[in-house]
Amino acid sequence: MALNSLSPPKIKTISFLDSSKSNYNLNLLKLPGGFAFKKKDFGASGGKKIQCSVQPPPPAWPGRAVAEPGYKTWEGQKPISIVGSTGSIGTQTLDIVAENPDKFRVVALAAGSNVTLLADQVKTFKPQLVSVRNESLVNELKEALSDVDDKPEIIPGEQGVVEVARHSDAVTVVTGIVGCAGLKPTVAAIEAGKDIALANKETLIAGGPFVLPLAHKHKVKILPADSEHSAIFQCIQGLPEGALRRIILTASGGAFRDWPVEKLKEVKVADALKHPNWNMGKKITVDSATLFNKGLEVIEAHYLFGAEYDNIDIVIHPQSIIHSMVETQDSSVLAQLGWPDMRLPILYTLSWPDRISCSEITWPRLDLCKLGSLTFKTPDNVKYPSMDLAYAAGRAGGTMTGVLSAANEKAVELFIDEKISYLDIFKVVELTCAKHQAELVTSPSLDEIIHYDLWARDYAASFQNSLGLSPALV
């Protein structure tokens, strides 16, 4: 089974050893006339043959970033909500708030199940509203806050997360929740007119065709909080219209950047979790090893900045000092540099279009002389077939990109649980995307996006290593 791409115009085959028994062949084919998919029956329109749209949704930032006249900047405490407050993005955001109490204040927090940390955050930052997604933990949270004088309102479950996202006092909502669980609260925040500090990849990778028109309708700013897209966002500040020619995403190369491709069949989970530069969670560390993280960032860059896929490149940069670059029409290349520190892009989403002065103790200056040298190399498509899968899914558009992301998330979970091999991650994703071709929806609703996210996870989970990656009978 093969995942079909609208470009390049020739057949491209990737082969690499996935076991001692056989080779894994990934074929990306260009079909004359583009794609034709059968639409899933979600109502009266079900069963129609539809063609992939050549018109993408409007980008969040069409190659330039300019604050419109009258765009409000904050002289006092800017009120923010945080969805996913106990995760990596949430805790780092709160570190920024703690360091800048005159610039920001927290009005609402939503967490998943870490009640102990959430209670500590409530005591420190005194939000008006709190949500814990795991409803069974509400009484535990109330008990942990029993000694708090000004108790916040507590709304449990998914509805509570949505209420945090659209809290009436919030100006900016930090979306740090992982997966498609972040889509509904993000949509609720957009409909309530809140600017989005975007750390949830699924918002655009899965939801781009629905979320972007909605953001334009409500005149909401989507500000990227991950380091690569923040770098691009910073580089396009003030560019004239039409000046952007190319986006260059930098990648560390992950745990296996120096491994020969033949050795990848021997990869163990512990090997994939040894990131050379960053200390991150298991899932994103494995994504860095497979380079799926960068493939997904290509799709996100397309939705954020409107660049065509042919004009988005990936380059391996082992030092992780240049966080990404843009090339302008006159061939100038602009780059954003800094120590590997997620707090900087998070801070910029909260302060834009302003810049906040930071302590050199907690935010040390970049010393290029101390670094000595910065190096770059072309990523190996044989070692990283994720790139071709991501570009193909991006060109297919619609629900395909969300399926790619969800299938990868499930495949990584299976790998970490040692149910499939490292190289099987690529197979599971490819086979799931290939299966989805027959039902791709080019202009999906939010319900369709969520439906196919869940479908992709279930389908990817059906693969068993013992069955040679054939779907298991359920």
Side-chain angles (χ1 to χ4, degrees), residues 410-411 414 428 432 455-464 472:
K410 177 54 67 173
L414 293 173
V428 169
T432 305
W455 171 85
R457 294 170 194 274
D458 288 343
Y459 189 79
S462 72
F463 290 99
Q464 301 292 326

Side-chain angles (χ1 to χ4, degrees), residues 16 24 290 292 385-386 389 423-430:
F16 63 94
Y24 167 42
T290 61
F292 259 115
S386 51
L389 283 169
L423 293 179
D424 287 338
I425 294 173
F426 306 106
K427 291 183 178 180
V428 169
V429 175
E430 186 214 2

Side-chain angles (χ1 to χ4, degrees), residues 37-106:
F37 298 92
K38 183 179 290 185
K39 187 178 177 71
K40 179 73 174 179
D41 185 4
F42 280 95
S45 60
K48 292 181 181 178
K49 285 280 186 177
I50 60 173
Q51 196 74 12
C52 269
S53 172
V54 296
Q55 293 296 328
W61 302 95
R64 60 199 299 258
V66 178
E68 296 89 346
Y71 184 81
K72 184 173 182 179
T73 58
W74 288 84
E75 296 179 359
Q77 294 175 307
K78 186 176 188 178
I80 65 172
S81 290
I82 304 174
V83 177
S85 67
T86 58
S88 175
I89 296 296
T91 55
Q92 290 181 88
T93 302
L94 290 173
D95 287 343
I96 292 169
V97 174
E99 188 174 342
N100 299 276
D102 59 324
K103 301 292 185 183
F104 309 108
R105 64 183 176 93
V106 176

Side-chain angles (χ1 to χ4, degrees), residues 57-61 204-205 208-209 212 299-306 309 397-398 401:
W61 302 95
L204 293 184
I205 293 169
L212 287 170
I299 296 168
E300 197 172 1
H302 167 75
Y303 282 132
L304 275 169
F305 308 111
Y309 285 103
T401 51

Side-chain angles (χ1 to χ4, degrees), residues 143-409:
E143 177 63 26
L145 297 177
S146 60
D147 59 344
V148 174
D149 292 332
D150 296 323
K151 291 181 175 58
E153 180 183 4
I154 299 174
I155 304 178
E158 184 176 295
Q159 185 58 38
V161 180
V162 167
E163 295 303 327
V164 166
R166 64 186 181 195
H167 190 280
S168 59
D169 289 349
V171 170
T172 297
V173 179
V174 180
T175 59
I177 195 170
V178 175
C180 257
L183 262 176
K184 285 187 177 180
T186 303
V187 167
I190 291 172
E191 290 177 337
K194 316 298 183 184
D195 285 342
I196 306 298
L198 183 67
N200 172 270
K201 290 184 179 297
E202 283 74 17
T203 295
L204 293 184
I205 293 169
F210 176 83
V211 167
L212 287 170
L214 190 69
H216 280 275
K217 175 183 176 181
H218 292 279
K219 296 180 172 57
V220 161
K221 303 298 183 189
I222 297 179
L223 304 157
D226 66 308
S227 58
E228 293 81 3
H229 298 107
S230 176
I232 297 163
F233 182 63
Q234 293 180 62
C235 288
I236 65 173
Q237 298 296 311
L239 285 184
E241 187 174 353
L244 179 65
R245 182 161 72 180
R246 183 167 58 119
I247 287 172
I248 305 167
L249 292 165
T250 56
S252 68
F256 307 127
R257 67 187 180 205
D258 298 320
W259 284 41
V261 67
E262 294 79 9
K263 192 179 176 183
L264 294 180
K265 61 185 178 182
E266 304 169 8
V267 165
K268 305 299 183 186
V269 174
D271 299 323
L273 296 179
K274 295 176 182 176
H275 196 283
N277 298 353
W278 299 84
N279 182 17
M280 305 179 292
K282 289 183 178 180
K283 195 268 181 182
I284 186 60
T285 305
V286 174
D287 279 351
S288 181
T290 61
L291 222 66
F292 259 115
N293 69 324
K294 212 54 51 178
L296 294 171
E297 286 171 12
V298 166
I299 296 168
E300 197 172 1
H302 167 75
Y303 282 132
L304 275 169
F305 308 111
E308 297 294 333
Y309 285 103
D310 288 343
N311 296 324
I312 306 175
D313 293 340
I314 299 171
V315 62
I316 301 295
H317 171 49
Q319 294 81 18
S320 295
I321 295 298
I322 296 179
H323 297 301
S324 277
M325 298 170 271
V326 301
E327 181 184 56
T328 59
Q329 295 292 348
D330 58 5
S331 78
S332 291
V333 175
L334 311 177
Q336 187 266 326
L337 288 71
W339 297 117
D341 188 339
M342 276 299 298
R343 293 175 304 163
L344 177 58
I346 295 170
L347 174 64
Y348 196 52
T349 64
L350 299 178
S351 67
W352 184 84
D354 297 330
R355 295 277 187 175
I356 291 178
S357 178
C358 296
S359 164
E360 291 186 35
I361 297 174
T362 55
W363 304 73
R365 294 189 181 190
L366 181 64
D367 188 338
L368 291 174
C369 294
K370 185 177 180 179
L371 282 170
S373 63
L374 302 176
T375 60
F376 308 90
K377 63 179 179 180
T378 303
D380 184 346
N381 289 62
V382 176
K383 183 184 289 187
Y384 303 115
S386 51
M387 294 188 297
D388 290 292
L389 283 169
Y391 276 97
R395 290 179 171 113
T399 49
M400 186 64 80
T401 51
V403 165
L404 175 92
S405 178
N408 172 64
E409 188 170 332

